[in-house]
Amino acid sequence: MPALKPVLLAALLSAALLPGGSVSAEEPAATGRTETLDGLARIVGAQAGIVLYCRKFYSVDDAVSDGLSRTARRALEAAMGHHRAEATIATEGRRVADTIATVGADQWCADQRDILNTDGIRVFVD
């Protein structure tokens, strides 16, 4: 099953139904907006990775994880539109899967736990 996890991660993220705005590189606020949209996509990707990979190492608060993912997805949909948000999430899913494959699930999950449990968000229970 480990070989299927990157595929499942990409499928899970690409199945996120989300709708649009546009970001122009020429707009002064575009950089900040792009960073925000990238951050939202990373939240969705991280939560999918946590759900698929980290449960064998740590207890995960499903309500917190699901809430983060849903909130980020809604914001992406509102800002980008369905198709662009879906494509952005799928791309992020592939990036997360590649990162996990490179560093290993145990290290990636430990890093996520350190990041998420120090910012006041308790995705990991233990």
Side-chain angles (χ1 to χ4, degrees):
M1 176 103 171
L4 289 177
K5 285 190 176 183
V7 174
L8 290 173
L9 179 61
L12 176 66
L13 294 176
S14 66
L17 303 178
L18 307 170
S22 65
V23 177
S24 168
E26 298 171 8
E27 297 175 21
T31 300
R33 182 173 181 195
T34 299
E35 289 173 0
T36 298
L37 295 175
D38 288 347
L40 291 169
R42 287 182 184 263
I43 289 169
V44 175
Q47 295 315 305
I50 288 166
V51 167
L52 289 172
Y53 291 92
C54 299
R55 291 180 188 275
K56 68 180 177 182
F57 305 109
Y58 305 104
S59 296
V60 175
D61 187 326
D62 293 326
V64 173
S65 180
D66 187 51
L68 284 169
S69 186
R70 273 197 250 186
T71 300
R73 288 174 189 215
R74 284 186 199 124
L76 281 170
E77 180 179 300
M80 301 177 84
H82 172 76
H83 296 294
R84 284 186 60 212
E86 191 174 277
T88 298
I89 289 169
T91 299
E92 180 60 16
R94 287 187 294 276
R95 188 195 70 76
V96 169
D98 290 346
T99 300
I100 293 170
T102 300
V103 302
D106 56 341
Q107 183 60 54
W108 186 85
C109 291
D111 293 344
Q112 295 304 307
R113 183 173 179 256
D114 289 344
I115 293 165
L116 293 176
N117 282 359
T118 58
D119 289 340
I121 300 170
R122 305 292 298 183
V123 172
F124 295 94
V125 179
D126 56 358

